[in-house]
Amino acid sequence: MRAVFDAAVPYLDSLADRPVYAGSARVKELLSDLPSAGEGAAAVVERLLSVGTAAATHSAGPRFFHFVTGGVTPAALAADWTVSLLDQNAFSRAASEFAHAVETVALDWLRELFGLPASFGGALVGSATFANFTSLGAATHWWASRHGVDVAADGLAGLPRMPVFSGGYVHASARKALQMLGHGRDSVSVLGAGRVDLSSLDRALADSGPAVVVANAGEVNTGDFDPLAGIAEVVSRHDAWLHVDGAFGLFAALSPRTAGLVAGLERADSIACDGHKWLNVPYESGFAFLREPARLGAAFGMPGAPYLPGADSPRAGYGLLGPESSRRARCVPIWATLAAYGRSGYRAMVERHLDLAQELAGLVDAAPDLERLAEVPLCVVCFRVRPPGVPKAELDDLNRRVGEALLEDGRVFAGTTVWEGKVALRPAIVNWRTTSRDIELFVSVVRELAASVR
Ligand SMILES: *Cc1c(COP(=O)(O)O)cnc(C)c1O
């Protein structure tokens, strides 16, 4: 136990300067046949720490700009260790009154952080994929009930296909959630190349019967938003459920500078968000909020078993309000980080990231060999390498090589995407440790590698 603490301090201190990635060859030291006689905990933990702190991808550090990847605040890290120490099962109050109470306050605090009305209630889940799954599971239950079917009891058989509408920003994980729920990932009708087209949506909903609309608050390539208030207005004219995927974009609500991007959020029926992105708590952490939280119990309550508390029992709990039964007390790091830094600490962090994103956009705009491809409304900067004299037809290839070179080099991390037909980089800034120095290093490494792979 002491060994972990002793290794943690220098490791955490090293994150500011060490490369994001320096190879994982040493992981081989952990890959053997199952030992018949174990070596004992002390030797194993020592080996694990030695290999892990070397071979891991140091994404908790300040220069991992790939995907949308948060770090871990000190309070959240200490709390996460405490979760393992206490090893609670956050299934029910019977299993842990402690976890139940902390989860209740963590959900209340998150709801307040995002400015949602008190009627909203939620469930903590493992990720935004699971938050989309949970939300769309509740949506499915609502939709089937419009057809007179209790889908929790009877399933989808005999029902028509559930109409789902979204815009071009729909995230792969929303499709995956629909795939897992039995609707199929291709059940989404995409209305508009980027933001959802409101008049197409209005027409589609007029013809579809009861339907589900997936709006996107924070698109992964540029951080752009669907017009939530406009979508809510259209949805209110029809028989439809409005789901908002705000995996990281929900944090726009924390600053008056960006709160307008999520105006209308309170009119959603369900909302999905991640904890392990911008909240900077450890994996795995996500949450779903519903305007009518009782719908979670209807969709996810389990059939009774004589040894389990039923859904109406005072000893029931969050395990009956989401896809998991036995669950980690992932509420504890959420509680700890919000208790430690408060609303104003989180607002300050988000605003620091907004500033850093503008700073990065400015560096891109000033560089003769870089080209920004989109506005920067939030924390993602979409751009590509475009050295003077390189023919247009070669730019995609060049940018793919730069993306590969970045991951090989390891000083900073970012991945490529395709934006409006162009291969591009899309660094996302959501780690509390990131500073201007990291942004400057990122730009200089990209330019250096771009010159070297040409
Ligand atoms: C990251 C992300 C997801 C999926 O989140 P996971 O935590 O990886 O499951 C869903 N939607 C959006 C918009 C995202 O950015």
Side-chain angles (χ1 to χ4, degrees):
M1 248 54 83
R2 170 65 55 187
V4 177
F5 180 78
D6 288 345
V9 174
Y11 178 72
L12 294 171
D13 285 348
S14 77
L15 286 174
D17 293 307
R18 77 190 300 157
V20 176
Y21 184 64
S24 56
R26 284 197 59 200
V27 75
K28 283 200 208 75
E29 295 169 40
L30 307 185
L31 317 177
S32 63
D33 293 337
L34 172 68
S36 57
E39 359 167 3
V44 165
V45 169
E46 192 184 321
R47 191 149 56 92
L48 174 62
L49 286 166
S50 164
V51 173
T53 54
T57 302
H58 307 298
S59 50
R63 289 180 301 281
F64 189 96
F65 302 116
H66 206 350
F67 313 114
V68 181
T69 300
V72 179
T73 65
L77 177 59
D80 200 60
W81 289 356
T82 310
V83 171
S84 292
L85 173 71
L86 302 175
D87 194 22
Q88 300 292 282
N89 182 351
F91 165 63
S92 68
R93 297 177 65 163
S96 173
E97 277 291 349
F98 166 80
H100 184 86
V102 175
E103 181 152 351
T104 301
V105 74
L107 282 164
D108 273 349
W109 287 0
L110 288 169
R111 183 180 51 67
E112 285 177 44
L113 188 70
F114 299 114
L116 292 169
S119 56
F120 275 77
L124 298 182
V125 290
S127 64
T129 299
F130 264 94
N132 280 331
F133 177 84
T134 304
S135 300
L136 293 170
T140 300
H141 193 270
W142 165 83
W143 168 79
S145 76
R146 304 295 297 133
H147 290 273
V149 172
D150 176 1
V151 76
D154 298 324
L156 291 167
L159 284 163
R161 198 166 197 191
M162 185 173 86
V164 183
F165 301 107
S166 191
Y169 292 162
V170 62
H171 191 268
S173 73
R175 289 185 185 273
K176 179 173 172 176
L178 291 163
Q179 160 186 337
M180 293 191 286
L181 287 162
H183 302 297
R185 60 178 172 245
D186 295 338
S187 60
V188 185
S189 303
V190 173
L191 308 172
R195 296 177 196 165
V196 70
D197 181 77
L198 292 179
S199 43
S200 306
L201 180 64
D202 201 20
R203 279 196 302 277
L205 289 174
D207 290 341
S208 67
V212 173
V213 176
V214 178
N216 295 276
E219 185 274 338
V220 286
N221 292 306
T222 67
D224 197 21
F225 285 67
D226 273 325
L228 299 188
I231 294 174
E233 195 52 46
V234 171
V235 165
S236 72
R237 293 200 286 268
H238 303 280
D239 194 15
W241 176 285
L242 174 55
H243 171 62
V244 175
D245 178 353
F248 63 96
L250 217 59
F251 282 75
L254 272 60
S255 167
R257 286 160 55 182
T258 45
L261 295 169
V262 289
L265 182 67
E266 71 289 348
R267 297 173 71 182
D269 294 288
S270 58
I271 301 167
C273 190
D274 253 321
H276 51 227
K277 288 179 180 168
W278 221 341
L279 191 63
N280 281 253
V281 298
Y283 291 99
E284 305 130 340
S285 185
F287 39 94
F289 279 105
L290 269 84
R291 191 147 52 86
E292 298 176 89
R295 293 187 177 280
L296 287 172
F300 292 101
M302 278 195 286
Y307 74 102
L308 294 174
D312 339 324
S313 155
R315 299 207 183 278
Y318 292 102
L320 298 167
L321 302 180
E324 300 154 288
S325 301
S326 295
R327 306 152 74 236
R328 185 171 174 81
R330 59 173 69 94
C331 53
V332 173
I334 294 173
W335 172 85
T337 201
L338 291 173
Y341 312 114
R343 195 195 284 277
S344 64
Y346 270 91
R347 173 178 164 180
M349 181 191 71
V350 164
E351 292 186 342
R352 213 160 54 238
H353 292 150
L354 297 176
D355 290 341
L356 289 170
Q358 293 305 321
E359 192 177 324
L360 175 51
L363 292 173
V364 167
D365 292 346
D369 49 349
L370 303 178
E371 176 189 28
R372 188 151 58 85
L373 297 178
E375 295 299 311
V376 181
L378 204 65
C379 59
V380 182
V381 181
C382 186
F383 72 98
R384 66 175 173 173
V385 169
R386 188 180 184 179
V390 174
K392 255 196 181 138
E394 292 173 21
L395 288 173
D396 282 354
D397 214 39
L398 173 62
N399 278 276
R400 274 207 187 86
R401 289 203 302 277
V402 172
E404 280 302 312
L406 276 171
L407 302 187
E408 289 291 317
D409 178 89
R411 279 176 288 171
V412 301
F413 251 43
T416 55
T417 188
V418 177
W419 179 248
E420 296 182 338
K422 302 173 182 113
V423 175
L425 294 164
R426 46 153 306 286
I429 304 165
V430 293
N431 185 310
W432 70 275
R433 292 178 181 273
T434 304
T435 65
S436 292
R437 197 179 68 119
D438 303 306
I439 299 300
E440 286 157 17
L441 183 66
F442 173 72
V443 172
S444 74
V445 171
V446 168
R447 297 182 68 189
E448 176 195 317
L449 295 176
S452 75
V453 301
R454 271 181 70 186

mmCIF file of all heavy atoms in Angstrom, residues 67-68 126-132 169-174 216-220 245-249 272-277 283 285-286 426, ligand 1:
data_model
loop_
_atom_site.group_PDB
_atom_site.id
_atom_site.type_symbol
_atom_site.label_atom_id
_atom_site.label_comp_id
_atom_site.label_asym_id
_atom_site.label_seq_id
_atom_site.Cartn_x
_atom_site.Cartn_y
_atom_site.Cartn_z
ATOM 1 N N PHE A 67 -8.557 12.434 -28.710
ATOM 2 C CA PHE A 67 -9.945 12.198 -28.260
ATOM 3 C C PHE A 67 -10.425 13.410 -27.433
ATOM 4 O O PHE A 67 -10.116 14.538 -27.796
ATOM 5 C CB PHE A 67 -10.039 10.889 -27.465
ATOM 6 C CG PHE A 67 -9.341 9.734 -28.150
ATOM 7 C CD1 PHE A 67 -8.210 9.136 -27.604
ATOM 8 C CD2 PHE A 67 -9.808 9.267 -29.373
ATOM 9 C CE1 PHE A 67 -7.572 8.089 -28.258
ATOM 10 C CE2 PHE A 67 -9.159 8.218 -30.026
ATOM 11 C CZ PHE A 67 -8.043 7.641 -29.466
ATOM 12 N N VAL A 68 -11.141 13.142 -26.350
ATOM 13 C CA VAL A 68 -11.425 14.213 -25.375
ATOM 14 C C VAL A 68 -11.130 13.551 -24.034
ATOM 15 O O VAL A 68 -11.918 12.741 -23.554
ATOM 16 C CB VAL A 68 -12.888 14.693 -25.433
ATOM 17 C CG1 VAL A 68 -13.113 15.828 -24.415
ATOM 18 C CG2 VAL A 68 -13.260 15.174 -26.835
ATOM 19 N N GLY A 126 -20.933 4.370 -16.368
ATOM 20 C CA GLY A 126 -19.498 4.267 -16.594
ATOM 21 C C GLY A 126 -18.927 5.229 -17.623
ATOM 22 O O GLY A 126 -17.707 5.419 -17.675
ATOM 23 N N SER A 127 -19.767 5.842 -18.442
ATOM 24 C CA SER A 127 -19.236 6.627 -19.560
ATOM 25 C C SER A 127 -20.386 7.345 -20.253
ATOM 26 O O SER A 127 -21.562 7.075 -19.962
ATOM 27 C CB SER A 127 -18.580 5.692 -20.579
ATOM 28 O OG SER A 127 -19.569 4.823 -21.124
ATOM 29 N N ALA A 128 -20.038 8.203 -21.203
ATOM 30 C CA ALA A 128 -21.094 8.844 -21.998
ATOM 31 C C ALA A 128 -21.762 7.841 -22.935
ATOM 32 O O ALA A 128 -22.933 7.987 -23.266
ATOM 33 C CB ALA A 128 -20.534 10.019 -22.791
ATOM 34 N N THR A 129 -21.015 6.822 -23.362
ATOM 35 C CA THR A 129 -21.672 5.769 -24.152
ATOM 36 C C THR A 129 -22.801 5.151 -23.333
ATOM 37 O O THR A 129 -23.926 4.973 -23.814
ATOM 38 C CB THR A 129 -20.653 4.680 -24.552
ATOM 39 O OG1 THR A 129 -19.634 5.278 -25.353
ATOM 40 C CG2 THR A 129 -21.320 3.563 -25.334
ATOM 41 N N PHE A 130 -22.502 4.835 -22.070
ATOM 42 C CA PHE A 130 -23.535 4.264 -21.204
ATOM 43 C C PHE A 130 -24.594 5.298 -20.836
ATOM 44 O O PHE A 130 -25.758 4.941 -20.612
ATOM 45 C CB PHE A 130 -22.917 3.629 -19.962
ATOM 46 C CG PHE A 130 -22.723 2.156 -20.148
ATOM 47 C CD1 PHE A 130 -21.522 1.650 -20.596
ATOM 48 C CD2 PHE A 130 -23.769 1.277 -19.923
ATOM 49 C CE1 PHE A 130 -21.362 0.297 -20.808
ATOM 50 C CE2 PHE A 130 -23.626 -0.082 -20.134
ATOM 51 C CZ PHE A 130 -22.416 -0.580 -20.580
ATOM 52 N N ALA A 131 -24.225 6.558 -20.768
ATOM 53 C CA ALA A 131 -25.220 7.601 -20.504
ATOM 54 C C ALA A 131 -26.160 7.730 -21.705
ATOM 55 O O ALA A 131 -27.378 7.902 -21.532
ATOM 56 C CB ALA A 131 -24.540 8.925 -20.193
ATOM 57 N N ASN A 132 -25.612 7.638 -22.919
ATOM 58 C CA ASN A 132 -26.471 7.615 -24.106
ATOM 59 C C ASN A 132 -27.364 6.372 -24.088
ATOM 60 O O ASN A 132 -28.559 6.440 -24.395
ATOM 61 C CB ASN A 132 -25.624 7.633 -25.386
ATOM 62 C CG ASN A 132 -25.135 9.035 -25.754
ATOM 63 O OD1 ASN A 132 -25.794 10.030 -25.443
ATOM 64 N ND2 ASN A 132 -23.993 9.117 -26.413
ATOM 65 N N TYR A 169 -23.819 15.825 -36.556
ATOM 66 C CA TYR A 169 -22.891 15.745 -35.431
ATOM 67 C C TYR A 169 -23.109 14.500 -34.572
ATOM 68 O O TYR A 169 -22.402 14.307 -33.580
ATOM 69 C CB TYR A 169 -23.046 16.979 -34.536
ATOM 70 C CG TYR A 169 -22.594 18.279 -35.170
ATOM 71 C CD1 TYR A 169 -23.011 19.499 -34.642
ATOM 72 C CD2 TYR A 169 -21.748 18.290 -36.273
ATOM 73 C CE1 TYR A 169 -22.598 20.701 -35.203
ATOM 74 C CE2 TYR A 169 -21.341 19.491 -36.834
ATOM 75 C CZ TYR A 169 -21.765 20.694 -36.302
ATOM 76 O OH TYR A 169 -21.352 21.871 -36.851
ATOM 77 N N VAL A 170 -24.080 13.678 -34.918
ATOM 78 C CA VAL A 170 -24.396 12.534 -34.050
ATOM 79 C C VAL A 170 -23.142 11.696 -33.794
ATOM 80 O O VAL A 170 -22.379 11.394 -34.709
ATOM 81 C CB VAL A 170 -25.557 11.696 -34.641
ATOM 82 C CG1 VAL A 170 -25.190 11.104 -36.000
ATOM 83 C CG2 VAL A 170 -25.991 10.613 -33.678
ATOM 84 N N HIS A 171 -22.912 11.382 -32.537
ATOM 85 C CA HIS A 171 -21.684 10.681 -32.137
ATOM 86 C C HIS A 171 -21.838 9.173 -32.329
ATOM 87 O O HIS A 171 -22.929 8.624 -32.151
ATOM 88 C CB HIS A 171 -21.387 10.988 -30.666
ATOM 89 C CG HIS A 171 -20.020 10.551 -30.218
ATOM 90 N ND1 HIS A 171 -19.772 9.328 -29.654
ATOM 91 C CD2 HIS A 171 -18.829 11.188 -30.251
ATOM 92 C CE1 HIS A 171 -18.481 9.227 -29.347
ATOM 93 N NE2 HIS A 171 -17.882 10.354 -29.707
ATOM 94 N N ALA A 172 -20.723 8.534 -32.653
ATOM 95 C CA ALA A 172 -20.733 7.085 -32.881
ATOM 96 C C ALA A 172 -21.318 6.333 -31.688
ATOM 97 O O ALA A 172 -21.952 5.280 -31.853
ATOM 98 C CB ALA A 172 -19.310 6.609 -33.166
ATOM 99 N N SER A 173 -21.127 6.871 -30.479
ATOM 100 C CA SER A 173 -21.600 6.138 -29.306
ATOM 101 C C SER A 173 -23.119 6.194 -29.166
ATOM 102 O O SER A 173 -23.716 5.299 -28.556
ATOM 103 C CB SER A 173 -20.940 6.683 -28.038
ATOM 104 O OG SER A 173 -21.482 7.933 -27.709
ATOM 105 N N ALA A 174 -23.760 7.219 -29.726
ATOM 106 C CA ALA A 174 -25.232 7.238 -29.722
ATOM 107 C C ALA A 174 -25.736 6.140 -30.663
ATOM 108 O O ALA A 174 -26.694 5.425 -30.355
ATOM 109 C CB ALA A 174 -25.747 8.608 -30.147
ATOM 110 N N ASN A 216 -26.866 17.307 -30.340
ATOM 111 C CA ASN A 216 -25.473 17.186 -29.935
ATOM 112 C C ASN A 216 -24.947 18.505 -29.386
ATOM 113 O O ASN A 216 -24.913 19.512 -30.077
ATOM 114 C CB ASN A 216 -24.646 16.689 -31.120
ATOM 115 C CG ASN A 216 -25.072 15.289 -31.494
ATOM 116 O OD1 ASN A 216 -24.619 14.315 -30.909
ATOM 117 N ND2 ASN A 216 -26.013 15.182 -32.418
ATOM 118 N N ALA A 217 -24.554 18.454 -28.134
ATOM 119 C CA ALA A 217 -24.018 19.624 -27.462
ATOM 120 C C ALA A 217 -22.516 19.401 -27.313
ATOM 121 O O ALA A 217 -22.055 18.782 -26.364
ATOM 122 C CB ALA A 217 -24.686 19.809 -26.097
ATOM 123 N N GLY A 218 -21.757 19.869 -28.280
ATOM 124 C CA GLY A 218 -20.311 19.646 -28.273
ATOM 125 C C GLY A 218 -19.963 18.520 -29.230
ATOM 126 O O GLY A 218 -20.005 17.345 -28.876
ATOM 127 N N GLU A 219 -19.657 18.903 -30.471
ATOM 128 C CA GLU A 219 -19.301 17.926 -31.504
ATOM 129 C C GLU A 219 -17.796 17.693 -31.400
ATOM 130 O O GLU A 219 -17.040 18.637 -31.148
ATOM 131 C CB GLU A 219 -19.712 18.508 -32.864
ATOM 132 C CG GLU A 219 -19.526 17.607 -34.041
ATOM 133 C CD GLU A 219 -18.135 17.668 -34.631
ATOM 134 O OE1 GLU A 219 -17.434 18.690 -34.411
ATOM 135 O OE2 GLU A 219 -17.724 16.711 -35.293
ATOM 136 N N VAL A 220 -17.362 16.444 -31.593
ATOM 137 C CA VAL A 220 -15.985 16.106 -31.237
ATOM 138 C C VAL A 220 -14.907 16.734 -32.127
ATOM 139 O O VAL A 220 -13.774 16.894 -31.689
ATOM 140 C CB VAL A 220 -15.755 14.570 -31.215
ATOM 141 C CG1 VAL A 220 -16.409 13.959 -29.992
ATOM 142 C CG2 VAL A 220 -16.248 13.916 -32.483
ATOM 143 N N ASP A 245 -26.831 14.742 -26.294
ATOM 144 C CA ASP A 245 -25.514 14.163 -26.004
ATOM 145 C C ASP A 245 -24.559 15.325 -25.742
ATOM 146 O O ASP A 245 -24.145 16.030 -26.663
ATOM 147 C CB ASP A 245 -25.050 13.325 -27.198
ATOM 148 C CG ASP A 245 -23.663 12.717 -26.984
ATOM 149 O OD1 ASP A 245 -22.999 13.045 -25.973
ATOM 150 O OD2 ASP A 245 -23.238 11.911 -27.848
ATOM 151 N N GLY A 246 -24.222 15.495 -24.446
ATOM 152 C CA GLY A 246 -23.332 16.602 -24.069
ATOM 153 C C GLY A 246 -22.102 16.084 -23.357
ATOM 154 O O GLY A 246 -21.692 16.627 -22.327
ATOM 155 N N ALA A 247 -21.502 15.049 -23.911
ATOM 156 C CA ALA A 247 -20.434 14.301 -23.222
ATOM 157 C C ALA A 247 -19.393 15.230 -22.597
ATOM 158 O O ALA A 247 -18.999 15.052 -21.454
ATOM 159 C CB ALA A 247 -19.779 13.329 -24.187
ATOM 160 N N PHE A 248 -18.958 16.229 -23.357
ATOM 161 C CA PHE A 248 -18.078 17.249 -22.760
ATOM 162 C C PHE A 248 -18.692 18.644 -22.895
ATOM 163 O O PHE A 248 -18.469 19.513 -22.058
ATOM 164 C CB PHE A 248 -16.668 17.214 -23.374
ATOM 165 C CG PHE A 248 -16.632 17.525 -24.856
ATOM 166 C CD1 PHE A 248 -16.354 18.808 -25.301
ATOM 167 C CD2 PHE A 248 -16.893 16.544 -25.787
ATOM 168 C CE1 PHE A 248 -16.333 19.103 -26.665
ATOM 169 C CE2 PHE A 248 -16.889 16.831 -27.147
ATOM 170 C CZ PHE A 248 -16.606 18.100 -27.588
ATOM 171 N N GLY A 249 -19.527 18.819 -23.935
ATOM 172 C CA GLY A 249 -20.068 20.147 -24.226
ATOM 173 C C GLY A 249 -20.975 20.704 -23.144
ATOM 174 O O GLY A 249 -21.163 21.922 -23.054
ATOM 175 N N ALA A 272 -26.954 13.240 -21.667
ATOM 176 C CA ALA A 272 -25.823 12.358 -21.363
ATOM 177 C C ALA A 272 -24.550 13.182 -21.220
ATOM 178 O O ALA A 272 -24.335 14.141 -21.970
ATOM 179 C CB ALA A 272 -25.634 11.333 -22.489
ATOM 180 N N CYS A 273 -23.718 12.813 -20.250
ATOM 181 C CA CYS A 273 -22.452 13.528 -20.062
ATOM 182 C C CYS A 273 -21.401 12.572 -19.487
ATOM 183 O O CYS A 273 -21.716 11.531 -18.928
ATOM 184 C CB CYS A 273 -22.667 14.713 -19.120
ATOM 185 S SG CYS A 273 -21.259 15.842 -19.039
ATOM 186 N N ASP A 274 -20.163 12.959 -19.663
ATOM 187 C CA ASP A 274 -19.034 12.196 -19.132
ATOM 188 C C ASP A 274 -18.491 12.851 -17.879
ATOM 189 O O ASP A 274 -18.462 14.086 -17.774
ATOM 190 C CB ASP A 274 -17.896 12.193 -20.168
ATOM 191 C CG ASP A 274 -17.749 10.855 -20.851
ATOM 192 O OD1 ASP A 274 -17.887 9.819 -20.174
ATOM 193 O OD2 ASP A 274 -17.488 10.858 -22.067
ATOM 194 N N GLY A 275 -18.010 12.044 -16.942
ATOM 195 C CA GLY A 275 -17.226 12.560 -15.826
ATOM 196 C C GLY A 275 -15.736 12.506 -16.130
ATOM 197 O O GLY A 275 -14.968 13.389 -15.743
ATOM 198 N N HIS A 276 -15.313 11.449 -16.865
ATOM 199 C CA HIS A 276 -13.872 11.269 -17.072
ATOM 200 C C HIS A 276 -13.302 12.174 -18.165
ATOM 201 O O HIS A 276 -12.133 12.069 -18.488
ATOM 202 C CB HIS A 276 -13.520 9.792 -17.314
ATOM 203 C CG HIS A 276 -14.324 9.104 -18.379
ATOM 204 N ND1 HIS A 276 -14.889 7.872 -18.196
ATOM 205 C CD2 HIS A 276 -14.648 9.473 -19.629
ATOM 206 C CE1 HIS A 276 -15.524 7.498 -19.296
ATOM 207 N NE2 HIS A 276 -15.395 8.456 -20.183
ATOM 208 N N LYS A 277 -14.110 13.039 -18.728
ATOM 209 C CA LYS A 277 -13.586 14.051 -19.647
ATOM 210 C C LYS A 277 -13.358 15.351 -18.862
ATOM 211 O O LYS A 277 -12.414 15.479 -18.110
ATOM 212 C CB LYS A 277 -14.520 14.226 -20.845
ATOM 213 C CG LYS A 277 -14.462 13.013 -21.792
ATOM 214 C CD LYS A 277 -15.392 13.130 -22.976
ATOM 215 C CE LYS A 277 -15.271 11.891 -23.872
ATOM 216 N NZ LYS A 277 -16.355 11.834 -24.867
ATOM 217 N N TYR A 283 -11.340 7.334 -14.849
ATOM 218 C CA TYR A 283 -12.193 6.344 -15.518
ATOM 219 C C TYR A 283 -12.664 5.369 -14.466
ATOM 220 O O TYR A 283 -11.909 5.042 -13.550
ATOM 221 C CB TYR A 283 -11.385 5.603 -16.592
ATOM 222 C CG TYR A 283 -11.029 6.507 -17.740
ATOM 223 C CD1 TYR A 283 -9.779 7.098 -17.813
ATOM 224 C CD2 TYR A 283 -11.966 6.789 -18.734
ATOM 225 C CE1 TYR A 283 -9.458 7.956 -18.861
ATOM 226 C CE2 TYR A 283 -11.643 7.640 -19.779
ATOM 227 C CZ TYR A 283 -10.392 8.219 -19.838
ATOM 228 O OH TYR A 283 -10.089 9.065 -20.865
ATOM 229 N N SER A 285 -16.420 7.054 -15.643
ATOM 230 C CA SER A 285 -17.395 7.928 -15.008
ATOM 231 C C SER A 285 -18.219 8.688 -16.041
ATOM 232 O O SER A 285 -17.683 9.392 -16.893
ATOM 233 C CB SER A 285 -16.663 8.924 -14.102
ATOM 234 O OG SER A 285 -17.580 9.708 -13.378
ATOM 235 N N GLY A 286 -19.526 8.506 -15.964
ATOM 236 C CA GLY A 286 -20.448 9.263 -16.799
ATOM 237 C C GLY A 286 -21.765 9.411 -16.051
ATOM 238 O O GLY A 286 -21.930 8.829 -14.971
ATOM 239 N N ARG A 426 -7.341 17.599 -34.395
ATOM 240 C CA ARG A 426 -8.436 18.192 -33.611
ATOM 241 C C ARG A 426 -8.119 18.107 -32.116
ATOM 242 O O ARG A 426 -8.846 17.479 -31.362
ATOM 243 C CB ARG A 426 -9.759 17.484 -33.919
ATOM 244 C CG ARG A 426 -9.645 15.975 -33.910
ATOM 245 C CD ARG A 426 -10.901 15.242 -33.585
ATOM 246 N NE ARG A 426 -11.545 15.608 -32.363
ATOM 247 C CZ ARG A 426 -11.130 15.286 -31.143
ATOM 248 N NH1 ARG A 426 -10.018 14.575 -30.956
ATOM 249 N NH2 ARG A 426 -11.818 15.650 -30.082
HETATM 250 C C1 LIG B 1 -16.595 11.019 -25.814
HETATM 251 C C2 LIG B 1 -17.982 11.166 -26.324
HETATM 252 C C3 LIG B 1 -18.919 10.143 -26.176
HETATM 253 C C4 LIG B 1 -18.576 8.788 -25.615
HETATM 254 O O1 LIG B 1 -17.970 8.877 -24.400
HETATM 255 P P1 LIG B 1 -17.245 7.637 -23.711
HETATM 256 O O2 LIG B 1 -16.923 8.175 -22.393
HETATM 257 O O3 LIG B 1 -16.042 7.332 -24.537
HETATM 258 O O4 LIG B 1 -18.195 6.518 -23.691
HETATM 259 C C5 LIG B 1 -20.199 10.396 -26.598
HETATM 260 N N1 LIG B 1 -20.544 11.560 -27.162
HETATM 261 C C6 LIG B 1 -19.669 12.564 -27.340
HETATM 262 C C7 LIG B 1 -20.112 13.838 -27.961
HETATM 263 C C8 LIG B 1 -18.349 12.406 -26.918
HETATM 264 O O5 LIG B 1 -17.463 13.397 -27.077
#
